[in-house]
Structure formats: structure tokens, C-alpha cells
Amino acid sequence: MKASRIAAAGAVAGAAVLAVSTPCFAHVSVQPEGEAAKGGYAVVGFKVPNERDDASTTKLEVTFPTDHPLASVMPQPVEGWDVEVTKSKLDKPLEMHGKKIDEAVSKVTWTAKGDGIEPGFFQKFPVSVGTLPEDADELVFKALQTYSSKEVVRWIEVPQKDQEEPDHPAPVLTLSEASEDGHSHGAAADDKTSDDTAAAGNASAETAASADEGDSGGTDTTARVLGVVGIVVGAAGVAYGVLAGRRRTTA
């Protein structure tokens, strides 16, 4: 009886660790392909995992920050998805390449043409953005994830410093400092062409594997380690119970 209890406790412990670690993989997140330097341009990818077992993700709506509007937002085409770019009037016009801009992108919406992101898969949606603000350390992109079941998950909670991560955190893009040679600033951005942007977008697909590993940072790594430990503990408990039972029977 004692051995059976130990085995059951080990199995429950392993399942509990896996249950705790699983949500860490489900967040909609945003990461740059390379770096996102203040005052420069970057290609960023919105990573959308499917966190449901019985429904597909069929729509993603990403709201762009209004406190630091981006004059240039160009999504890369994604096979199997329609994309819609929504612009809004600015209270304070921006200046870009010597021109006044009175509107900026406020939302980008991707809608699946077919099944979308099925259970057990994820999708990345690359976007070229700029000019990134020089007076901010991060940009917050609130997102809505819609499933084929009509469920809508709102990734809109802004993470706060020195506080626990909220249940549905908004994707946050961390901005790095501009390089000393100034190549990340507006002067370098003026030399960029649409061909450069397209090339950067295509390169994002090739670097997706390495970028995915860093999307959740140390949290994902810790979750995986805890999950493995839980499985090992559970398996050890079950094995101990079986061996103890055999010994008792033999005796």
C-alpha cells in the first residue's frame, strides 16, 4: 500500500509540473529578426502558438502603439492568410524623409483563408517597422487571437516591472540602443529601399528557428526543464510501486 501511494504521488507530481509549465508556451509574442535599435528600422515577427486542442486560430489582430506611432509598417505576405492594414489620423504629424505624415498604421489584421493555425502548430507573421522611437525602451502591441470556435483571447495586459507576469500579457518589443556609428538612425534609414525591406522579410523565414528559441527566453527553458523533471519523478514513482508489488508477491 505504501509503495502504491508513493507511485501515485510521483505520477501526480509529474503531471502537476507539466500543467504549470505548459502556459509558458502559449503566449502571443513579438521578437525582432536581429535587433530593433532605437531610431532605426527592424523586421519583427509576431509568434502565435495555438493553445487549444479542439480549435484552430483563424485570425490575429495586432494594435500598434499610439504613444509612439510608426510611420512605416509593411507586413510580409504569409501563405494562406489575408492581411489588412488599418491607418488612423495622428493628433501630431510625424516627419519622415523630409515629409509630413498625418496618419500611421494603428492595426494589422491577418485572417486565415483556410484552416489557419491548427492544434500543435504555431505561425509567425513578419512585419517591417520604422522609424523606431528614440525616446522609448520598449513598444507594446496588444493582440486579439480568434479561434475557429469563435473564442477570442485578448493578449492585452501590459506586464509591469517587479510584478508577476499577467495571465494574458501583451506582446512587448524591447528596443536596443543605437550603434555608435549611427547606422541605426534615420540617416541610414533614408538609404533603405523597398527591396531591402523585402530581402529582410525573406531572411526572417530562414532565421525563424533560432528566433523561436529566444521568444520566451529563460522562462521557456525553465518550463521545459521542469516538465522533464516532473516526468522523471512520476516514472520513478510508478517503477518503485511496481517493483515493491513484485517483491511482496514473491515473498
Side-chain angles (χ1 to χ4, degrees):
M1 180 66 73
K2 182 178 180 181
S4 299
R5 290 178 179 176
I6 293 176
V12 170
V17 172
L18 286 176
V20 171
S21 63
T22 299
C24 297
F25 300 100
H27 299 169
V28 172
S29 58
V30 59
Q31 289 289 332
E33 304 293 350
E35 69 172 8
K38 298 178 181 180
Y41 280 69
V43 174
V44 301
F46 292 94
K47 180 184 176 183
V48 184
N50 191 332
E51 58 176 2
R52 298 290 181 264
D53 296 328
D54 57 354
S56 297
T57 295
T58 56
K59 188 177 182 180
L60 174 68
E61 300 171 74
V62 176
T63 300
F64 281 67
T66 56
D67 53 342
H68 295 287
L70 301 172
S72 176
V73 176
M74 292 185 289
Q76 178 183 342
V78 177
E79 185 177 357
W81 294 78
D82 288 325
V83 60
E84 179 182 358
V85 178
T86 303
K87 294 184 177 182
S88 300
K89 289 288 185 181
L90 297 175
D91 295 333
K92 183 179 180 180
L94 299 175
E95 185 171 337
M96 182 178 179
H97 300 172
K99 297 181 179 180
K100 291 287 186 179
I101 298 176
D102 60 359
E103 65 176 10
V105 172
S106 56
K107 184 171 68 172
V108 177
T109 303
W110 289 269
T111 305
K113 298 178 183 179
D115 294 334
I117 310 171
E118 298 181 352
F121 293 87
F122 76 90
Q123 178 68 54
K124 292 193 74 173
F125 299 91
V127 183
S128 173
V129 295
T131 305
L132 297 173
E134 299 183 24
D135 58 348
D137 294 324
E138 61 184 25
L139 294 177
V140 177
F141 299 86
K142 296 183 178 182
L144 301 183
Q145 182 180 10
T146 301
Y147 287 90
S148 55
S149 60
K150 306 304 180 183
E151 176 191 8
V152 178
V153 180
R154 301 167 63 83
W155 302 98
I156 61 173
E157 300 176 67
V158 181
Q160 302 296 325
K161 187 177 180 180
D162 299 328
Q163 294 185 14
E164 292 186 1
E165 185 178 59
D167 292 334
H168 296 90
V172 177
L173 176 66
T174 300
L175 304 181
S176 60
E177 296 296 331
S179 59
E180 294 182 359
D181 58 12
H183 287 170
S184 299
H185 288 284
D190 292 345
D191 296 332
K192 286 183 176 290
T193 63
S194 58
D195 290 339
D196 293 334
T197 303
N202 292 334
S204 68
E206 300 175 3
T207 59
S210 60
D212 292 340
E213 294 177 0
D215 281 336
S216 298
T219 303
D220 278 1
T221 301
T222 302
R224 291 189 180 96
V225 172
L226 290 176
V228 172
V229 171
I231 294 173
V232 172
V233 172
V238 173
Y240 180 82
V242 172
L243 291 174
R246 289 181 178 176
R247 290 174 180 173
R248 185 181 299 106
T249 302
T250 301

